[in-house]
Amino acid sequence: KNEVEQSPQNLTAQEGEFITINCSYSVGISALHWLQQHPGGGIVSLFMLSSGKKKHGRLIATINIQEKHSSLHITASHPRDSAVYICAVSREYGNKLVFGAGTILRVKS
Amino acid sequence: GAGVSQSPRYKVAKRGQDVALRCDPISGHVSLFWYQQALGQGPEFLTYFQNEAQLDKSGLPSDRFFAERPEGSVSTLKIQRTQQEDSAVYLCASSSQPLSPEAFFGQGTRLTVV
């Protein structure tokens, strides 16, 4: 079993829909990261969480440490949100990241 | 520089050829990581440097893979006698301090071995 599991693997949404991507992990962590990767592009860090909730524009990330679960929400989705969204955890601060397989999101207009 | 820079962006190598991939981290960043991302999968850890010291190379898949960071800034990932299974995107990430939880990623190098 992978240490970091994401769901769904693929997600297609209509423009304007509310989107949720889930991440579960099985190890103790110091931080959880949500990352965005566009085709042919590098990885952009969206959020880093160790507790609670963070919001940036239309993106919201939450984490439940007791349940070892995090969610990434996108409100009022737009075709430019189409990308791969990756959850990653670090077991110690500054240590290597362990990644989920990613969720491929396609938002249709 | 403004961000992590990797070169080349794309590399096609014939099977058996040696390749060298370069990473220029953000100036002054102490920590540098290399990751390998196979098609359709999440990245996987290869190796970690703190300044010029390679503190963790547990993710290197074979002795054909070698990484260095001789002056604690630019790093090179070398793959000898490339094989088809080496085809992947190679990502570099850096962070400002050893205990910093933040990581800044480069655009990656897409290696295709034919």
Side-chain angles (χ1 to χ4, degrees):
Chain A
K1 189 180 187 298
N2 293 335
E3 290 183 339
V4 181
E5 299 274 359
Q6 282 185 242
S7 63
Q9 283 186 294
N10 290 278
L11 181 56
T12 300
Q14 282 297 130
E15 184 174 357
E17 284 185 358
F18 180 84
I19 288 164
T20 295
I21 299 171
N22 295 299
C23 175
S24 296
Y25 53 92
S26 57
V27 296
I29 65 169
S30 59
L32 181 142
H33 301 249
W34 281 103
L35 309 160
Q36 182 192 57
Q37 186 173 35
H38 283 280
I43 289 178
V44 174
S45 180
L46 299 174
F47 294 104
M48 186 193 62
L49 295 163
S50 53
S51 64
K53 175 180 174 178
K54 287 190 176 180
K55 183 175 187 294
H56 182 69
R58 295 180 295 106
L59 301 179
I60 303 165
T62 63
I63 188 169
N64 185 319
I65 297 294
Q66 286 73 30
E67 294 186 4
K68 294 190 172 149
H69 181 269
S70 175
S71 293
L72 175 69
H73 305 286
I74 305 175
T75 62
S77 59
H78 189 276
R80 65 174 174 268
D81 297 327
S82 298
V84 178
Y85 291 84
I86 305 174
C87 172
V89 301
S90 55
R91 301 191 65 176
E92 299 170 12
Y93 276 121
N95 207 342
K96 60 191 176 190
L97 295 177
V98 178
F99 294 81
T103 294
I104 302 172
L105 171 65
R106 180 179 170 219
V107 181
K108 298 193 290 187
S109 56
Chain B
V4 179
S5 176
Q6 291 187 245
S7 60
R9 285 293 312 279
Y10 303 93
K11 175 70 180 177
V12 178
K14 290 185 178 178
R15 187 176 163 191
Q17 186 179 349
D18 296 350
V19 297
L21 312 180
R22 177 186 169 107
C23 173
D24 271 283
I26 294 172
S27 179
H29 275 200
V30 169
S31 296
L32 186 146
F33 299 82
W34 283 99
Y35 296 93
Q36 179 192 56
Q37 185 177 23
L39 187 65
Q41 298 182 23
E44 293 192 356
F45 170 78
L46 292 176
T47 188
Y48 164 60
F49 289 87
Q50 188 178 116
N51 295 309
E52 69 278 5
Q54 189 175 20
L55 298 187
D56 187 346
K57 54 182 181 179
S58 61
L60 296 177
S62 77
D63 58 8
R64 296 186 296 103
F65 286 71
F66 172 77
E68 60 183 6
R69 193 186 185 198
E71 296 178 0
S73 55
V74 171
S75 177
T76 303
L77 176 67
K78 297 179 180 177
I79 309 173
Q80 296 177 325
R81 305 181 303 281
T82 52
Q83 300 178 6
Q84 280 194 311
E85 61 261 32
D86 300 334
S87 296
V89 174
Y90 290 85
L91 292 161
C92 176
S94 71
S95 61
S96 58
Q97 297 293 332
L99 295 181
S100 171
E102 285 194 294
F104 297 86
F105 285 84
Q107 293 281 72
T109 294
R110 180 177 297 278
L111 171 66
T112 304
V113 181
V114 297

